[in-house]
Amino acid sequence: MSTGLIALLDDISLIAKAAAASIDDVGVAAAKAGSKAAGVVIDDAAVTPTYVTEFTPDRELPIIWKIAKGSLKNKLLFLLPGALLLSEFLPFVITPLLMLGGLFLCYEGAEKIMEKLGGDKHGATLEDPITDPAAFEEERVSGAVRTDLILSAEIMAIALAEIANTPVVERGLVLALVGVVITAVVYGAVALIVKMDDIGLHLAEKPGAAAQKIGRGLLLAMPKVLTFLSVVGTGAMLWVGGGIILHGLHEMGVHGPSDVAHAIQHAVEQASGGAGAVLGWLTYAVASAVVGLVLGAVVALGLHSGQKLLGKAH
């Protein structure tokens, strides 16, 4: 009995060690995959505040919470099982699907720019009279969650590429961990950004010259920060969308567009010395955004023309 018990305990010890090693592998893989997706995470954090600007302060955090829940649902209920199934059975479908998502981002970004330049507005905007605040809020949340779906798909695809050769169970655990951590980081940062003015007001009302000075600085800065984030958010849609298209074309054997963008990037890197890495990345981002703007504008003009023709037909 004692020998059998020792053998059993030894087996349990080996299983525990294997489980611990597996968990460690998942953590390492998740960190590696998450770091590769960092660029898209920054884009996601820049895009989201644009959906809560100009709402009353009491609705900002509830809206962010709704979007965060929608983002987590996107990642865990739709993208995670979809990514695992496609990676197992239809890996060649992933790139075209991502390109369609990228084209949607290009369209959204281009349409925002066209509207700012005086084009017709399509759908409700914050400048319009809001007759039903609850319905308008839900529309804004739905738009944010739709955009998040594309960005989340890119994050999950990047993570998946880093762990493509791991067992399917480990793949699923890593993708789930990446999805949860990135959602928490992005929407925690977004909540902090949009509530910065309330923090500033609180500090401005506290005793002490230093706290009041910081508070007033935050209050003065926040409108400019939110405007800047709105611009960055639109740019992010274009450079992420254009980047997805360039990468997808390269994966499908059409190397010309991405080769041109990378050639420009490398030329800037070589001419910029110590700042080459940053300026090279920025150059490729701008090239991707230009591609995104052109493609998005073509799609937007096509859709708007089609809608007008349908309207005349009816």
Side-chain angles (χ1 to χ4, degrees):
M1 287 289 291
S2 60
T3 304
L5 180 60
I6 291 171
L8 177 61
L9 291 174
D10 189 51
D11 288 343
I12 291 172
S13 174
L14 288 173
I15 292 170
K17 287 179 181 177
S22 178
I23 291 170
D24 187 54
D25 289 343
V26 168
V28 171
K32 183 180 178 183
S35 67
K36 288 286 185 179
V40 187
V41 172
I42 293 168
D43 299 335
D44 205 354
V47 169
T48 306
T50 65
Y51 288 93
V52 295
T53 53
E54 298 185 34
F55 278 102
T56 56
D58 63 305
R59 294 308 307 155
E60 289 172 344
L61 289 182
I63 290 171
I64 292 169
W65 176 236
K66 285 182 180 181
I67 299 171
K69 287 192 293 183
S71 176
L72 206 55
K73 186 177 177 182
N74 283 340
K75 293 180 179 76
L76 299 184
L77 296 187
F78 303 124
L79 296 173
L80 173 57
L84 291 177
L85 287 172
L86 289 175
S87 65
E88 281 291 304
F89 303 110
L90 296 169
F92 58 88
V93 174
I94 295 175
T95 297
L97 287 177
L98 282 175
M99 290 176 71
L100 285 175
L103 196 59
F104 174 76
L105 284 179
C106 295
Y107 156 71
E108 281 218 325
E111 187 167 64
K112 287 179 183 295
I113 290 177
M114 290 162 66
E115 289 177 357
K116 288 292 183 184
L117 293 175
D120 294 336
K121 289 181 169 35
H122 298 270
T125 71
L126 287 172
E127 290 81 13
D128 298 327
I130 301 172
T131 56
D132 188 342
F136 183 71
E137 181 179 308
E138 286 303 314
E139 184 181 336
R140 297 288 291 183
V141 170
S142 297
V145 172
R146 282 196 304 272
T147 300
D148 173 271
L149 180 64
I150 309 303
L151 294 170
S152 293
E154 180 69 0
I155 289 168
M156 299 295 263
I158 292 170
L160 185 62
E162 290 299 307
I163 54 170
N165 297 322
T166 59
V168 66
V169 173
E170 185 176 325
R171 230 179 298 159
L173 289 173
V174 170
L175 289 177
L177 183 57
V178 167
V180 170
V181 170
I182 283 179
T183 301
V185 169
V186 167
Y187 290 99
V190 169
L192 184 62
I193 289 168
V194 300
K195 297 307 290 182
M196 198 65 74
D197 53 348
D198 292 338
I199 296 171
L201 182 61
H202 175 72
L203 289 174
E205 293 174 346
K206 289 190 70 170
Q212 290 177 1
K213 186 176 181 180
I214 293 171
R216 287 194 295 269
L218 289 174
L219 286 171
L220 289 172
M222 280 317 295
K224 297 176 182 177
V225 169
L226 290 174
T227 300
F228 172 75
L229 284 174
S230 177
V231 173
V232 170
T234 301
M237 290 181 185
L238 294 173
W239 84 59
V240 172
I244 292 172
I245 298 296
L246 288 175
H247 179 73
L249 289 172
H250 185 83
E251 289 290 310
M252 296 173 71
V254 182
H255 304 300
S258 62
D259 286 350
V260 170
H262 282 300
I264 298 171
Q265 176 188 0
H266 295 323
V268 170
E269 286 175 348
Q270 291 174 358
S272 305
V278 173
L279 292 177
W281 173 86
L282 184 61
T283 300
Y284 187 78
V286 170
S288 299
V290 170
V291 171
L293 179 60
V294 172
L295 291 176
V298 169
V299 172
L301 290 171
L303 286 175
H304 299 163
S305 298
Q307 288 170 353
K308 288 179 181 178
L309 287 174
L310 287 173
K312 289 179 180 178
H314 292 291

